Amino acid sequence: MLGSARNRIRIALVAAATAALAAFSVAPSPAATPGEARGGTAAWANCPGGYVGLTYDDGPNPASTQALLNALRAGGAKATFFIWGQHAEQHPDLLRAEQAAGMWIANHTATHAHLTQIGEPAAYNEIATAQNTIRRITGQSPTLFRPPYGETNAQVKSDAARLGLTEVLWSVDSQDWNGAGTQQIVQAAAGLRAGGIILMHDGGYQATVNAVPQILSGLAARGLCPGRITAGAGGTAVVTAP
């Protein structure tokens, strides 16, 4: 009974936080204050179902990055943003906004190339260039990498490992890149299980932004919490507590 009561309280906290999105605006917001950060942590303090990874590829994007940050912060959640290096060069302020909001910043290559098709050293340079760009803008080096289109092989994995990166794919594809609507994205997220990772995009898709509150409420109802993706045994990606 106690666990059930805690879960109801957590669902209520998340719902209250995400209610602020009813008057949603894409205008930039300041970095979270310590009080806001504590409130977000409290909303996800009890996670009997385990942790899942929320991920957004291809940003930063002026049409969606700040909106996603606002939505995630309203729900007290964190996500991993896989950064397209050229976009970071064009919008360094948005990359810094992701960092200031407490999101995890990861590598998604410089130009979103088909790494398994371009050969070496081109594939390695794609990853290394993005790594250098992100480090120059944020002062931090990513530890995670996602190959564009999920295309990988032994050489790509070796390139990432040389740069100290753990390759991250996904277990659930939201299909937002393929025109999925908000409810389709939410339904895809309902298929997440403990340790799962969902692929979404910071690609200017309003449906993806609109899905955030419902995804968070759905996770809370199932006792799942947004977690942090890290390197596990053998260098494989695992999802843990933030």
Side-chain angles (χ1 to χ4, degrees), residues 31 69 94-105 137-140:
L69 295 180
L94 290 176
L95 179 55
R96 294 189 190 102
E98 292 173 356
Q99 181 184 30
M103 304 300 158
W104 298 295
I105 308 300
I137 294 171
T138 67
Q140 297 179 344

Side-chain angles (χ1 to χ4, degrees), residues 47-55 80 146 167-172 189 191-199 219 222-232 236-241:
C47 309
Y51 297 90
V52 298
L54 307 179
T55 70
T80 303
R146 174 172 284 163
E167 185 179 85
V168 180
L169 297 178
W170 56 86
S171 58
V172 174
L192 282 168
R193 299 294 180 265
I197 297 171
I198 184 169
L199 170 68
L219 292 177
R222 295 193 291 135
L224 292 165
C225 293
R228 181 171 190 167
I229 304 170
T230 64
T236 58
V238 297
V239 187
T240 65

Side-chain angles (χ1 to χ4, degrees), residues 84-174:
W84 184 326
Q86 285 185 339
H87 292 174
E89 293 278 13
Q90 295 164 359
H91 308 289
D93 55 327
L94 290 176
L95 179 55
R96 294 189 190 102
E98 292 173 356
Q99 181 184 30
M103 304 300 158
W104 298 295
I105 308 300
N107 185 320
H108 197 43
T109 74
T111 71
H112 209 268
H114 292 273
L115 297 182
T116 60
Q117 300 176 24
I118 62 176
E120 296 294 338
Y124 174 85
N125 289 339
E126 276 283 334
I127 306 170
T129 298
Q131 193 77 348
N132 292 335
T133 296
I134 295 168
R135 181 167 52 241
R136 173 166 44 80
I137 294 171
T138 67
Q140 297 179 344
S141 295
T143 59
L144 304 177
F145 158 73
R146 174 172 284 163
Y149 315 102
E151 296 173 352
T152 188
N153 58 23
Q155 183 61 58
V156 170
K157 293 178 188 293
S158 176
D159 289 342
R162 284 172 60 193
L163 291 161
L165 294 163
T166 297
E167 185 179 85
V168 180
L169 297 178
W170 56 86
S171 58
V172 174
D173 184 349
S174 72

